[in-house]
Amino acid sequence: MSPVIDTIETLLVDLPTIRPHQLSMTTMACQTMVIVRLRDSDGIEGLGEGTTIGGLAYGPESPESIKRNIDTYLAPLLIGQPADNLNVLRARLARHARGNSIAKSALETALLDAQGKRLGRSVAELLGGARQTHLPVLWTLASGDTAKDIDEACQRLKQRRHGDFKLKIGANPVEADVRHVAAIKEALGDRAGVRVDLNQAWNEATAVRGIAALQDAGIELIEQPIPAREHAGLIRLANRFRVPMLADEAVQDARDGLDLAVGGFSGAFALKIAKSGGLQGVLELAHLAQTAGIGLYGGTLLEGTIGTAASLHAWATLPELAWGTEMFGPLLLKDDIVAEPLAYRDFGVALPTGPGLGIALDEDKLAHYARR
């Protein structure tokens, strides 16, 4: 008989960041993760993580709503069901619960982790096999202070930790943001690529002015300069400038990807398991992008180690990502809740090995940081 899902437990875990992380819509000094512990009737436990940015400042799901909706609506749909047919379980969640992509991603991660442990296979193997075991990782400079950001970037280069950098801008006037970014790019020169993320902060007219200046400054990629719903505007910007546009909030799943591709979008898609409801959904989007000749970028919602490991298993099944990844979430945190941290070295991170995600919890650390 197939094992069935016995219990699903969710925990809110608050971990402080190493420094304030400034975005266009909020500044973070702590990251809250929803940790999922799914236990099957054969005694196997699967781990998952649902994480977002800045409570409700970024999107419609908060850590508290993710936990409540899993506990109240989603977990009852899974408990008692056979644990080894993920396609049926995903369809069951989609049929009975709309939206809640981060919550669904956390549950799918836990299901895949448990199935991998049961079969003695990694999550990447369950998804078809890893094509790469070391993935490049950039670092986001988000202190808001130009001198501090330059120093931070130089330290990361010297340590061979990161070779490319992204700047979060959009909270300040355009001219101030451009000066900040241009100074950092000038200081780094050809030693590193520099990109920017607006998190939808500009309207299209402002974006035309700002992107022109950023392109002149040597910035190599512009992420989501205008609101997510403005697909036509993003396509116009992509066709107007040499510097590529990176669609992030504008492309949640394969349906959004198809809309942009059919409209003539050129540039890249930011892949995030949380946006697409899990690993299988994000790979559907990735394969669509590949077919349309659109570049790929492995994005993050600043997940901790569990969510980051899940993303890495998905990215590892793809050909080389044209724009690399930003799976640095665990490095932004002062501490961790896992027994063995991810191995960051040589401007990237190693794919975890072992069954499932290849991640085990540190129970003492989990108990210390879990919200009462």
Side-chain angles (χ1 to χ4, degrees):
M1 292 181 61
S2 297
V4 299
I5 300 169
D6 263 353
T7 63
I8 297 175
E9 177 188 12
T10 58
L11 300 164
L12 290 171
V13 177
D14 298 306
L15 285 172
T17 59
I18 58 173
R19 54 150 167 78
H21 192 70
Q22 183 176 323
L23 301 96
S24 66
M25 80 295 289
T26 189
T27 298
M28 296 170 49
C30 176
Q31 179 60 298
T32 299
M33 305 175 292
V34 183
I35 302 301
V36 173
R37 306 187 76 167
L38 180 149
R39 297 180 181 88
D40 294 335
S41 59
D42 56 3
I44 290 176
E45 179 182 73
L47 302 176
E49 179 189 335
T51 298
T52 184
I53 298 171
L56 287 172
Y58 179 80
E61 290 180 87
S62 69
E64 294 76 14
S65 74
I66 293 167
K67 173 176 169 54
R68 177 60 63 89
N69 288 339
I70 289 176
D71 293 348
T72 306
Y73 298 103
L74 303 182
L77 294 170
L78 300 180
I79 291 172
Q81 298 295 312
D84 57 358
N85 192 326
L86 273 67
N87 288 332
V88 169
L89 295 172
R90 287 181 73 229
R92 184 174 175 83
L93 289 175
R95 183 168 64 250
H96 293 286
R98 298 186 183 277
N100 290 280
S101 62
I102 301 176
K104 289 175 179 175
S105 175
L107 289 168
E108 184 181 318
T109 297
L111 289 165
L112 283 165
D113 185 39
Q115 183 73 339
K117 291 171 179 174
R118 184 175 297 112
L119 299 176
R121 299 295 183 91
S122 72
V123 168
E125 289 178 287
L126 297 182
L127 298 173
R131 301 176 66 170
Q132 47 189 321
T133 58
H134 184 270
L135 294 98
V137 179
L138 64 68
W139 179 252
T140 293
L141 302 169
S143 74
D145 182 287
T146 304
K148 286 183 179 179
D149 282 351
I150 291 172
D151 182 60
E152 194 172 300
C154 290
Q155 288 181 350
R156 296 298 188 276
L157 284 169
K158 184 177 180 180
Q159 296 164 348
R160 295 182 58 81
R161 180 64 66 85
H162 305 283
D164 293 294
F165 300 94
K166 184 167 82 172
L167 290 155
K168 295 283 190 177
I169 62 173
N172 302 308
V174 175
E175 293 77 12
D177 275 341
V178 170
R179 282 196 302 271
H180 173 63
V181 172
I184 293 170
K185 175 57 183 172
E186 184 178 8
L188 295 178
D190 295 333
R191 292 183 295 161
V194 175
R195 312 160 185 190
V196 298
D197 184 4
L198 276 300
N199 287 122
Q200 313 177 71
W202 290 342
N203 58 36
E204 189 174 349
T206 303
V208 167
R209 181 162 54 94
I211 292 170
L214 292 168
Q215 180 173 271
D216 291 343
I219 303 311
E220 65 178 17
L221 191 68
I222 311 290
E223 183 172 349
Q224 200 61 54
I226 61 176
R229 66 184 180 276
E230 297 178 12
H231 281 192
L234 191 61
I235 293 168
R236 285 192 293 271
L237 293 172
N239 292 332
R240 179 166 184 158
F241 294 99
R242 297 189 314 277
V243 58
M245 300 297 118
L246 175 64
D248 181 9
E249 291 87 358
V251 60
Q252 301 289 317
D253 53 28
R255 289 168 297 182
D256 289 331
L258 181 61
D259 183 47
L260 283 167
V262 169
F265 177 77
S266 62
F269 288 166
L271 307 174
K272 293 178 181 175
I273 62 171
K275 288 192 305 182
S276 299
L279 287 75
Q280 295 184 78
V282 82
L283 289 177
E284 291 171 3
L285 172 61
H287 296 149
L288 182 147
Q290 288 176 288
T291 302
I294 293 170
L296 299 177
Y297 176 62
T300 180
L301 279 184
L302 300 180
E303 292 95 348
T305 297
I306 295 170
T308 298
S311 299
L312 292 174
H313 280 281
W315 310 160
T317 69
L318 297 168
E320 183 179 359
L321 281 73
W323 294 99
T325 83
E326 59 177 27
M327 308 314 301
F328 65 88
L331 298 177
L332 190 62
L333 305 174
K334 286 185 177 179
D335 206 348
D336 211 331
I337 58 168
V338 300
E340 186 70 30
L342 296 174
Y344 288 90
R345 61 178 181 273
D346 296 327
F347 306 112
V349 62
L351 180 69
T353 59
L357 295 173
I359 300 296
L361 290 170
D362 182 320
E363 298 290 351
D364 291 336
K365 290 286 186 70
L366 179 66
H368 178 74
Y369 288 108
R371 190 182 299 180
R372 303 297 190 272

